[in-house]
């Protein structure tokens, strides 16, 4: 039962659509299909939207091992295709592109020549199970989720932090399918989408950088669960809810402000703010291979790449 009235509806429009050529599944997609629940899209799965300083929108196509760049003229460019399953993408302020690869770990992409190589594949001597998404804090620390096959049947998903000097720490290892993540405005806590729990968890930080008293910040219902997360400029949380074709906008106390509704499919996987004033919300809708766009009354918090 919801304690809140339905929030105002925000409409979307199609901003860009994958070309027929890019919709063709590669041989890499066959291996990905074997690891996914029945009904998952295998021709393409768009994820990880992130803007660079030139206004290009980068994203990944998971099953095909593709890194794509959408220019200002809304044309897709294939930058990289490799034997991997890229799931999340974030851009460093120095221009380097970091990719959370479900198959390999954290990868590093050169945006100029399209070369991709492993960056971080282990925590100590243990390989990651299947990383999903990543986020840069203001000080450059890298946070990422290691989802594996975790769920309510086996809630062993992990969240890691890698500091600037290369130290890797597991912050929590009991999340049912950790997915998108973002820090709060003051960077004193980390929000993590627990997809199979259909909720967003809040991980507050202690003085030593560890976390305690982890709790549920937002509980959703329906669909598959929350996927990508973003933050508004005033500290509100934006949640891509896959399976119902919606993106929710909450204020900083967790109360719903808006429902952004997909005009295409139900697989709203991830989000990124853009536009001149930062109030345009761009959404990857994986079942239709489209980038959707919505105009919000609030601007997004600038990402690390644009600081």
């Amino acid at each position: 039962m919801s304690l809140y009235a339905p929030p105002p509806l925000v409409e979307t429009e199609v901003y860009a659509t994958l070309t027929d050529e890019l919709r063709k599944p590669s041989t890499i997609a066959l291996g990905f299909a074997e690891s996914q629940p029945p009904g998952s899209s295998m021709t393409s799965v768009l994820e990880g939207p992130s803007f660079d300083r030139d206004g290009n929108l980068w994203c990944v196509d998971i099953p095909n091992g593709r890194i794509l760049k959408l220019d200002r003229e809304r044309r897709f460019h294939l930058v990289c295709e490799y034997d991997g399953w890229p799931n999340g993408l974030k851009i460093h302020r120095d221009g380097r592109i970091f990719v959370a690869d479900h198959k390999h770990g954290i990868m590093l992409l050169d945006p100029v020549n399209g070369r991709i190589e492993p960056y971080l594949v282990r925590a100590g001597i243990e390989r990651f199970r299947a990383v999903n998404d990543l986020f840069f804090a203001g000080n450059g620390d890298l946070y990422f989720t290691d989802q594996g096959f975790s769920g309510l049947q086996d809630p062993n998903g992990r969240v890691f932090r890698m500091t600037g000097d290369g130290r890797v720490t597991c912050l929590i290892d009991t999340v049912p399918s950790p997915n998108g993540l973002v820090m709060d405005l003051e960077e004193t806590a980390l929000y993590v989408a627990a997809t199979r729990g259909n909720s967003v968890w809040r991980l507050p930080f202690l003085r030593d950088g560890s976390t305690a008293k982890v709790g549920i910040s937002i509980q959703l219902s329906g669909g598959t669960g929350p996927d990508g997360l973003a933050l508004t400029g005033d500290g509100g949380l934006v949640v891509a809810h896959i399976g119902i074709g919606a993106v929710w906008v909450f204020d900083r106390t967790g109360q719903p402000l808006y429902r952004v509704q997909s005009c295409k499919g139900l697989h709203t996987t991830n989000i990124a703010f853009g536009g001149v004033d930062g109030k345009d919300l761009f959404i990857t809708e994986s079942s239709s291979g489209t980038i959707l766009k919505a105009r919000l009354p609030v601007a997004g918090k600038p990402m690390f790449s644009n600081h």
Side-chain angles (χ1 to χ4, degrees):
M1 182 182 69
S2 175
L3 301 178
Y4 304 102
L9 196 66
V10 177
E11 302 289 347
T12 58
E13 63 182 64
V14 174
Y15 180 76
T17 303
L18 278 179
T19 62
D20 291 340
E21 182 64 27
L22 289 174
R23 288 177 186 273
K24 293 180 181 178
S26 68
T27 56
I28 300 171
L30 298 177
F32 182 80
E34 296 174 354
S35 67
Q36 300 303 304
S40 301
S41 173
M42 289 303 106
T43 56
S44 68
V45 178
L46 295 183
E47 252 276 20
S50 294
F51 280 98
D52 63 21
R53 291 193 176 189
D54 295 325
N56 300 303
L57 180 61
W58 294 72
C59 63
V60 302
D61 177 9
I62 303 174
N64 296 300
R66 294 168 180 157
I67 311 294
L68 306 172
K69 180 174 71 172
L70 183 66
D71 63 27
R72 290 176 176 269
E73 285 70 45
R74 310 187 189 188
R75 296 172 300 194
F76 279 101
H77 302 270
L78 177 59
V79 177
C80 177
E81 185 171 359
Y82 70 106
D83 182 15
W85 298 326
N87 202 108
L89 184 151
K90 289 294 187 297
I91 303 174
H92 196 279
R93 63 163 56 118
D94 63 13
R96 291 180 298 165
I97 296 180
F98 287 74
V99 177
D101 186 292
H102 184 89
K103 190 174 184 179
H104 300 298
I106 305 299
M107 307 289 285
L108 186 61
L109 173 71
D110 186 323
V112 178
N113 59 31
R115 183 180 300 117
I116 193 165
E117 59 187 10
Y119 181 80
L120 182 68
V121 298
R122 291 181 175 86
I125 62 173
E126 182 185 8
R127 289 187 67 91
F128 299 119
R129 296 161 186 164
V131 297
N132 185 284
D133 207 349
L134 62 173
F135 174 82
F136 282 107
N139 65 355
D141 286 353
L142 177 64
Y143 293 81
F144 58 95
T145 51
D146 189 23
Q147 186 182 69
F149 286 92
S150 61
L152 293 179
Q153 89 291 346
D154 189 11
N156 64 359
R158 303 181 292 181
V159 179
F160 286 92
R161 174 180 58 226
M162 186 180 73
T163 58
D165 59 5
R167 288 180 293 118
V168 179
T169 303
C170 180
L171 298 174
I172 191 170
D173 59 3
T174 58
V175 188
S177 194
N179 201 320
L181 67 171
V182 70
M183 299 187 85
D184 67 2
L185 203 59
E186 296 78 23
E187 298 199 344
T188 59
L190 185 71
Y191 292 110
V192 178
T195 303
R196 304 301 179 240
N198 219 347
S199 58
V200 178
W201 289 23
R202 182 178 181 273
L203 282 60
F205 292 120
L206 304 179
R207 292 180 183 272
D208 64 358
S210 64
T211 187
K213 296 188 175 181
V214 174
I216 294 175
S217 177
I218 294 170
Q219 183 67 59
L220 301 174
S221 63
T224 302
D227 197 325
L229 302 181
L231 206 69
T232 63
D234 57 4
L237 190 63
V238 187
V239 182
H241 193 169
I242 192 170
I244 65 170
V247 174
W248 303 98
V249 183
F250 299 91
D251 68 15
R252 63 181 303 149
T253 68
Q255 299 183 74
L257 294 177
Y258 308 101
R259 173 177 177 151
V260 183
Q261 188 61 46
S262 167
C263 61
K264 296 294 287 186
L266 301 179
H267 290 239
T268 42
T269 56
N270 216 324
I271 45 185
F273 280 97
V276 177
D277 58 2
K279 293 184 178 181
D280 292 331
L281 185 68
F282 295 83
I283 307 162
T284 48
E285 201 295 305
S286 64
S287 65
S288 62
T290 58
I291 306 289
L292 307 179
K293 177 183 174 183
R295 181 70 176 169
L296 291 182
V298 293
K301 180 182 182 295
M303 297 298 290
F304 183 72
S305 59
N306 293 308
H307 281 188

